[in-house]
Amino acid sequence: VQLQASGGGSVQAGESLRLSCEASGRMTFSIWEMSWYRQNPGEEREFVALIETDGNTKYGDSVLGRFIISRDNSANTTSLQMNNLKVEDTGVYYCKADRFGRWTYWGQGTLVTVSS
């Protein structure tokens, strides 16, 4: 199983970006819980957003109301729409696939840089 994250880039504060994570390999995408995390050097990986198999979503407090996570099971893809970006949203964003907390896969990360 591989997770390929894309869509990162450099933007100004207040702008938007959309990240995507495509899963490939021997994986029934629809039964996996998908989530996004972010990390900066020297810091712990921070939870950003999660979408469950039934479509329920959860968000970290710092992104609630600005980010939207979605999934397209037909395309084996999860996306993260990031609006009104702030400088503190800067980091490497990773997607994760999880099943029951027992099986976990991580993508390689995509860099988001937000400048003021």
Side-chain angles (χ1 to χ4, degrees):
V1 173
Q2 288 189 328
L3 301 178
Q4 182 70 42
S6 61
S10 297
V11 297
Q12 297 286 319
E15 294 183 341
S16 299
L17 274 178
R18 185 177 181 87
L19 305 183
S20 293
C21 175
E22 182 177 4
S24 61
R26 295 176 63 87
M27 180 191 198
T28 303
F29 184 78
S30 61
I31 65 174
W32 289 77
E33 179 182 276
M34 301 299 298
S35 54
W36 289 91
Y37 287 73
R38 64 188 181 195
Q39 189 173 26
N40 282 300
E43 299 180 3
E44 292 188 357
R45 199 164 287 189
E46 176 190 7
F47 169 74
V48 175
L50 173 154
I51 185 164
E52 298 175 342
T53 56
D54 60 2
N56 285 336
T57 57
K58 298 177 183 177
Y59 296 92
D61 290 342
S62 62
V63 306
L64 188 63
R66 298 187 297 120
F67 290 13
I68 301 171
I69 188 171
S70 61
R71 66 190 299 157
D72 182 347
N73 292 333
S74 66
N76 288 0
T77 299
T78 185
S79 298
L80 185 68
Q81 177 66 40
M82 305 186 296
N83 300 320
N84 190 23
L85 282 160
K86 303 177 180 181
V87 172
E88 51 265 40
D89 293 320
T90 294
V92 178
Y93 283 70
Y94 298 90
C95 60
K96 184 181 83 167
D98 183 88
R99 183 149 174 78
F100 303 136
R102 294 183 60 187
W103 299 280
T104 301
Y105 296 101
W106 288 92
Q108 86 289 359
T110 185
L111 178 62
V112 173
T113 304
V114 185
S115 56
S116 59

